[in-house]
């Protein structure tokens, strides 16, 4: 009864515009938030759930780095793969604007700043009001098509601009400071409390502002700062400074979920990818779970979402942040029987390896507490290093993603980061590696094959397709048969890699087919057959098999390099409606061959021209 009264109070404090928007969507009904079990009812609806994939939400306390770009592209490729297969897909990304990283008063002394949030602190160092700081920084991830990049960076949040620059096809961009998210978080809190999973207690421990989390005594150590000689306590895991904190706050009964979590992991052994991190999660939970502090006193953390029935406390940033995935899936306003219409449960949540504990232990426990469905899989990727050293803003050992995109191009960076990026093991970032991948894979591999086929002298792709339609003399010999088998098996092999959430391995399968086609063409040497009437059918057969390789690979590469592959398929004359996964069957398209764009001459019109800088 008390929770219902609190909800009425919460509704009365919710902006009318928000409630009006919700009502217009046909999603708001009072019973949906008064009945805690209303939205966890299993659905028997005949509609297909959209594929829902998410990135973590990124802190706005600092500029984006290459790791942000990698996560965005990795997630985008997974979404585009689903769209290629004809499934509706939703990608959610955004910024985390709460917590101890962002706000603070720039006049505070060092000890006072230690107590500020990461966002408060960043705002303090910038000499800005917290809201103004968040408004400025969130926009760099924003998509704005009406202005150029320089103007965007001056006006906007680097993270949103980064998403636009990298051609990320996101459907949602959430800010945790938005009213609908605050509503979802406070609802979630009240449901946890109503079910008895929240209690008050004194909490003591080592707290890291940078990590926004408490560490046990076994998880901290004494560190020395070489440049100043200052000694400080730091997290063993991350090296970030910690402070001893003693305060009264709210706790979540995480320990109550140990057995349920272990049972779920056993029943879903691929919940966490790769398997090595699944094993780490199981070991951590098996060792035991302590209850989790889920609020901070408002005098220590003011920039966040207030506990709905206690204005002296602010909701713990990670509980707040994790709920963003539900917010954009219309929580808590899902219609009964159609709870999954907006995507939840997520099919895949993409995160970095440093936040596995929060997404693979805390998050499932929170969801279990409310009988909400868990995400199907969590893809945890490794980090990027520079000169084999961990990237760090404090040492300047970082890569600016905007500079990389400007220097090498968007599609080159999408290709390189997926090709070389690590899932299990860290990958080392190096400009020379990008150039090497470009020259071998894109310029010398795919680009060379495209130029040979569509701009070759002495043959016509259209005529080779017409000959195939007429059923005349397919290319003969063991080389041709081997290549046909490769092309017939390629879509299935790529699909298997994507089902394992390994888009990098899938990319390598496609590129191996490109290299094999170049080798086939080199061995058959069709240019030697030009002008010989007796070899015309053989010539067309060779060109057709090579053109089919290019067409199939071009379709499969669309999730990685959508703009360049559009141009390639235009060069081949493939109809826009014939660029789906179902069209990757060898011989399934009998109408292409006439370019729909100008092919150009020389370096003009080639898919992958020389890089502007090879240094």
């Amino acid at each position: 009864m008390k929770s219902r009264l609190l909800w009425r109070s919460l509704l009365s404090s919710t902006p009318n515009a928000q409630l009006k928007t919700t009502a217009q969507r046909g999603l708001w009904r009072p019973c949906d938030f008064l009945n805690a079990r209303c939205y966890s009812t299993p659905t028997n609806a005949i509609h297909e759930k959209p594929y829902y994939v998410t990135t973590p939400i990124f802190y706005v306390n600092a500029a984006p780095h290459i790791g942000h770009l990698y996560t965005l592209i990795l997630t985008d490729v997974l979404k585009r793969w689903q769209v290629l297969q004809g499934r509706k897909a939703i990608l959610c990304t955004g910024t985390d604007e709460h917590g101890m990283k962002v706000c603070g008063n720039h006049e505070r002394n060092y000890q006072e700043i230690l107590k500020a949030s990461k966002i408060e602190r960043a705002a303090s160092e910038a000499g800005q009001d917290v809201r103004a700081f968040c408004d400025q920084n969130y926009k760099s991830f924003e998509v704005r098509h009406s202005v150029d990049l320089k103007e965007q960076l001056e006006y906007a949040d680097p993270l949103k601009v980064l998403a636009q620059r990298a051609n990320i096809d996101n459907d949602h961009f959430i800010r945790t400071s938005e009213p609908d998210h605050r509503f979802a978080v406070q609802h979630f809190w009240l449901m946890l409390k109503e079910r008895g999973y929240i209690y008050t207690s004194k909490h003591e421990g080592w707290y890291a502002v940078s990590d926004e989390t408490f560490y046990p005594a076994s998880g901290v150590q004494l560190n020395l700062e070489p440049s100043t000689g200052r000694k400080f306590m730091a997290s063993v895991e991350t090296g970030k400074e910690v402070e001893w904190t003693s305060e009264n706050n709210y706790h979540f009964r995480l320990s109550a979920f140990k057995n349920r979590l272990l049972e779920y992991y056993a029943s879903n052994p691929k919940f966490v990818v790769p398997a090595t991190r699944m094993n780490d999660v199981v070991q951590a939970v098996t060792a035991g779970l302590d209850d989790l502090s889920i609020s901070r006193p408002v005098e220590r953390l003011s920039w966040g979402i207030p506990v709905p029935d206690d204005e002296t406390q602010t909701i713990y940033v990670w509980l707040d942040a994790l709920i963003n995935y539900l917010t954009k899936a219309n929580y808590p306003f899902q219609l009964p029987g159609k709870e999954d219409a907006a995507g939840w449960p997520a099919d895949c949540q993409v995160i970095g390896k440093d936040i596995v504990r929060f997404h693979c232990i805390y998050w499932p426990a929170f969801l279990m507490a409310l009988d909400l469905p868990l995400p199907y899989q969590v893809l945890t990727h490794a980090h990027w290093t520079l000169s084999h050293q961990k990237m760090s803003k404090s040492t300047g050992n970082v890569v600016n993603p905007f500079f990389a995109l400007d220097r090498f191009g968007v599609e080159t960076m999408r290709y390189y980061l997926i090709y070389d990026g690590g899932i299990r093991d860290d990958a080392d970032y190096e400009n020379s590696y990008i150039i090497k991948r470009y020259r071998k894979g894109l310029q010398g591999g795919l680009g060379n094959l495209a130029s040979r086929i569509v701009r070759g002298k002495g043959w016509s792709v259209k005529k080779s397709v017409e000959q195939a339609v007429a059923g005349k003399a397919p290319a003969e010999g063991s080389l041709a048969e081997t290549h046909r088998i490769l092309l017939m098996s390629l879509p299935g092999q790529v699909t298997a890699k994507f089902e394992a959430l390994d888009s990098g391995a899938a990319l390598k399968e496609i590129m191996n087919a490109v290299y094999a086609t170049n080798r086939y063409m080199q061995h058959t040497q069709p240019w030697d057959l030009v002008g010989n009437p007796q070899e015309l059918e053989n010539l067309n057969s060779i060109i057709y098999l090579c053109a089919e390789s290019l067409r199939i690979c071009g379709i499969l590469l669309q999730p990685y390099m959508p703009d360049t592959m559009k141009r390639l398929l235009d060069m081949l004359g493939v109809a826009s409606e014939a660029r789906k996964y179902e069209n990757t069957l060898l011989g399934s398209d009998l109408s292409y061959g006439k370019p729909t764009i100008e092919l150009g001459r020389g370096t003009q019109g080639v898919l992958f021209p020389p890089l502007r800088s090879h240094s």
Side-chain angles (χ1 to χ4, degrees):
M1 182 64 182
K2 183 179 179 182
S3 290
R4 291 172 184 248
L5 292 173
L6 287 169
W7 263 119
R8 294 189 178 98
S9 173
L10 187 60
L11 279 173
S12 66
S13 65
T14 301
N16 290 334
Q18 180 192 349
L19 293 179
K20 182 179 179 182
T21 301
T22 305
Q24 287 173 341
R25 293 186 306 197
L27 298 173
W28 181 78
R29 300 192 320 161
C31 73
D32 285 359
F33 56 83
L34 294 178
N35 181 355
R37 298 181 183 274
C38 185
Y39 9 90
S40 56
T41 306
T43 178
N44 295 315
I46 60 173
H47 71 276
E48 181 183 16
K49 185 188 89 67
Y51 183 89
Y52 188 36
V53 61
T54 68
T55 74
I57 50 175
F58 306 106
Y59 278 119
V60 296
N61 64 303
H65 54 69
I66 203 69
H68 291 125
L69 181 59
Y70 177 51
T71 304
L72 285 166
I73 294 173
L74 193 60
T75 309
D76 184 62
V77 168
L78 292 176
K79 180 207 169 167
R80 289 178 185 271
W81 173 256
Q82 295 296 322
V83 173
L84 183 67
Q85 293 188 307
R87 184 176 180 184
K88 179 182 178 181
I90 299 170
L91 191 163
C92 183
T93 188
T95 50
D96 185 354
E97 300 178 0
H98 291 150
M100 296 192 69
K101 296 185 181 181
V102 179
C103 63
N105 186 325
H106 65 278
E107 295 178 354
R108 294 177 183 175
N109 63 31
Y110 177 76
Q111 289 301 323
E112 289 176 324
I113 288 179
L114 267 181
K115 297 176 183 178
S117 80
K118 190 183 279 189
I119 295 176
E120 284 178 313
R121 187 179 303 177
S124 169
E125 292 171 355
Q128 288 182 279
D129 170 79
V130 181
R131 182 71 209 191
F133 179 84
C134 290
D135 286 345
Q136 173 184 307
N137 280 356
Y138 108 91
K139 297 186 185 75
S140 62
F141 289 79
E142 182 178 26
V143 180
R144 296 183 71 240
H145 299 285
S146 60
V147 295
D148 63 21
L149 176 62
K150 182 179 179 181
E151 184 180 343
Q152 286 189 51
L153 289 175
E154 291 174 350
Y155 165 83
D157 169 359
L159 285 167
K160 261 196 165 181
V161 175
L162 182 62
Q164 187 267 334
R165 286 283 286 115
N167 199 10
I168 305 302
D169 187 25
N170 59 292
D171 301 88
H172 301 301
F173 193 98
I174 187 170
R175 301 176 65 187
T176 56
S177 59
E178 293 171 342
D180 61 340
H181 179 66
R182 171 175 172 149
F183 191 92
V185 171
Q186 291 187 319
H187 172 84
F188 199 98
W189 176 282
L190 287 172
M191 294 302 100
L192 287 176
K193 186 174 183 179
E194 189 170 88
R195 292 184 174 210
Y197 289 115
I198 293 178
Y199 65 95
T200 57
S201 177
K202 183 177 182 179
H203 188 87
E204 292 185 328
W206 294 101
Y207 190 82
V209 171
S210 294
D211 302 329
E212 298 280 16
T213 190
F214 282 96
Y215 288 102
S218 59
V220 300
Q221 63 185 9
L222 185 64
N223 279 9
L224 177 69
E225 191 174 78
S227 60
T228 64
R230 185 175 71 91
K231 295 181 180 179
F232 61 95
M233 297 301 293
S235 161
V236 173
E237 181 182 349
T238 66
K240 301 298 184 181
E241 185 167 357
V242 297
E243 63 167 337
W244 181 259
T245 301
S246 178
E247 59 193 33
N248 290 310
N249 50 29
Y250 290 94
H251 287 66
F252 171 71
R253 300 184 190 278
L254 181 64
S255 58
F257 291 89
K258 174 182 175 180
N259 291 336
R260 284 184 66 181
L261 285 169
L262 291 175
E263 290 172 4
Y264 185 81
Y265 300 150
S267 301
N268 300 273
K270 295 183 179 180
F271 173 60
V272 180
V273 177
T276 51
R277 292 197 191 100
M278 180 78 260
N279 294 336
D280 292 341
V281 168
V282 171
Q283 290 176 10
V285 176
T286 301
L289 296 173
D290 295 327
D291 288 350
L292 183 66
S293 172
I294 56 170
S295 73
R296 302 297 308 275
V298 70
E299 62 267 19
R300 288 182 177 269
L301 175 59
S302 59
W303 183 247
I305 298 177
V307 171
D309 52 348
D310 185 353
E311 293 182 356
T312 69
Q313 295 277 323
T314 303
I315 296 174
Y316 172 55
V317 62
W318 272 104
L319 175 57
D320 166 0
L322 289 164
I323 295 169
N324 93 86
Y325 307 123
L326 290 176
T327 301
K328 288 306 180 183
N330 290 337
Y331 178 85
F333 300 117
Q334 296 103 324
L335 290 173
K338 294 183 179 180
E339 293 86 354
D340 62 1
W344 192 265
D347 294 83
C348 181
Q349 300 205 260
V350 181
I351 64 170
K353 66 178 183 179
D354 55 322
I355 52 176
V356 167
R357 177 161 47 109
F358 305 100
H359 284 81
C360 304
I361 299 177
Y362 299 170
W363 183 221
F366 292 148
L367 293 168
M368 286 177 174
L370 298 190
D371 294 325
L372 292 171
L374 274 60
Y376 294 129
Q377 286 187 292
V378 181
L379 173 60
T380 68
H381 64 74
H383 291 166
W384 285 90
T385 60
L386 190 61
S387 300
H388 301 286
Q389 299 294 319
K390 181 180 179 180
M391 292 192 188
S392 170
K393 294 189 294 289
S394 60
T395 62
N397 193 45
V398 293
V399 175
N400 185 314
F402 294 105
F403 292 170
L405 291 169
D406 285 342
R407 179 176 183 181
F408 297 109
V410 172
E411 308 258 294
T412 300
M413 289 304 299
R414 288 177 64 99
Y415 175 86
Y416 165 70
L417 290 175
I418 297 298
Y419 198 100
D420 276 12
I423 299 298
R424 190 183 69 174
D425 301 315
D426 291 347
D428 198 50
Y429 183 96
E430 172 59 56
N431 287 340
S432 64
Y433 299 162
I434 302 174
I435 295 169
K436 179 180 178 181
R437 292 292 177 217
Y438 184 87
R439 286 175 169 171
K440 179 183 178 181
L442 300 182
Q443 191 177 40
L446 186 59
N448 182 49
L449 179 62
S451 292
R452 279 177 155 184
I453 298 301
V454 303
R455 304 171 79 187
K457 296 180 179 180
W459 56 72
S460 163
V461 173
K462 184 63 177 176
K463 289 181 178 179
S464 72
V465 173
E466 290 172 348
Q467 178 175 296
V469 172
K472 294 181 180 179
E476 298 180 352
S478 59
L479 282 176
E481 183 60 27
T482 299
H483 203 68
R484 275 194 288 270
I485 292 172
L486 182 152
L487 294 179
M488 286 188 289
S489 63
L490 180 61
Q493 291 173 340
V494 172
T495 298
K497 300 300 183 184
F498 267 103
E499 288 177 349
L501 300 181
D502 196 345
S503 55
L507 178 56
K508 292 179 176 68
E509 291 283 354
I510 302 169
M511 293 309 298
N512 285 339
V514 171
Y515 301 143
T517 305
N518 272 319
R519 289 194 298 271
Y520 170 72
M521 199 169 187
Q522 197 64 35
H523 278 103
T524 55
Q525 297 186 345
W527 41 84
D528 288 344
L529 307 179
V530 173
N532 187 343
Q534 295 180 340
E535 295 288 352
L536 181 59
E537 287 189 352
N538 188 27
L539 171 63
N540 283 333
S541 295
I542 294 171
I543 297 304
Y544 175 70
L545 193 54
C546 293
E548 277 292 88
S549 300
L550 201 56
R551 182 185 68 84
I552 293 169
C553 290
I555 292 173
L556 293 173
L557 284 170
Q558 287 177 105
Y560 302 94
M561 298 177 287
D563 289 347
T564 307
M565 291 309 101
K566 179 182 183 304
R567 176 169 176 77
L568 171 61
L569 295 171
D570 286 345
M571 292 168 71
L572 284 169
V574 178
S576 58
E577 64 273 15
R579 302 180 181 188
K580 303 180 181 66
Y581 179 81
E582 63 190 42
N583 304 117
T584 58
L585 180 67
L586 179 65
S588 61
D589 189 342
L590 304 177
S591 62
Y592 74 98
K594 183 179 180 180
T596 58
I597 59 173
E598 290 292 330
L599 299 180
R601 294 183 178 181
T603 58
Q604 290 187 344
V606 298
L607 277 181
F608 299 101
L611 290 172
R612 285 177 290 178
S613 172
H614 279 209
S615 61

